[in-house]
Amino acid sequence: MSAITNLYAGVPVADLDASIDWYTRFFGRPPDMRAGDEILWDLDDHATLFIEPSEAHAGAGRITLGVAGLDALLERLAAQGIDHEPIETYSNGVRHTKVPDPDGNAIAFAEPPDAA
């Protein structure tokens, strides 16, 4: 039986240069690598998010990142001029919010109740 060992999640964007700027502010650091038109940020040892130019699909991306310290993270983003939608708290205690990128891709954060 095979096992999944890595995650590479892609987000389509219309303007690559503007998106590199936004995601650099979003992650608080420049990209880790460029592979052709793909710009990559390593999120963990086995998780990478990349953006790629695709005007026809820009805005259709949906990514949720599990986080600890959601409030501090949102404060850092606000200082970078990045807004978020209202925070929802689900019945299981998970706090969730979306942080749309300039194309409208839904980048979301989910914080479990034991990570606050």
Side-chain angles (χ1 to χ4, degrees), residues 14-115:
D15 182 331
L16 189 60
D17 290 333
S19 293
I20 291 171
D21 174 69
W22 190 88
Y23 280 90
T24 295
R25 290 183 290 119
F26 179 80
F27 288 120
R29 61 187 174 81
D32 294 297
M33 187 173 99
R34 183 178 191 133
D37 284 340
E38 295 177 353
I39 310 300
L40 298 91
W41 282 265
D42 292 326
L43 307 182
D44 198 341
D45 289 341
H46 303 286
T48 300
L49 185 135
F50 66 92
I51 59 173
E52 64 181 338
S54 178
E55 193 166 340
H57 296 102
R62 301 290 176 262
I63 303 287
T64 299
L65 303 169
V67 300
L70 179 62
D71 294 327
L73 177 58
L74 294 176
E75 287 176 21
R76 182 187 65 76
L77 291 177
Q80 292 294 319
I82 297 175
D83 295 324
H84 63 87
E85 294 181 2
I87 298 171
E88 299 177 76
T89 301
Y90 299 147
S91 61
N92 63 0
V94 169
R95 296 174 67 222
H96 178 270
T97 187
K98 291 180 185 171
V99 183
D101 78 358
D103 288 304
N105 291 301
I107 310 303
F109 293 124
E111 179 185 59
D114 59 352

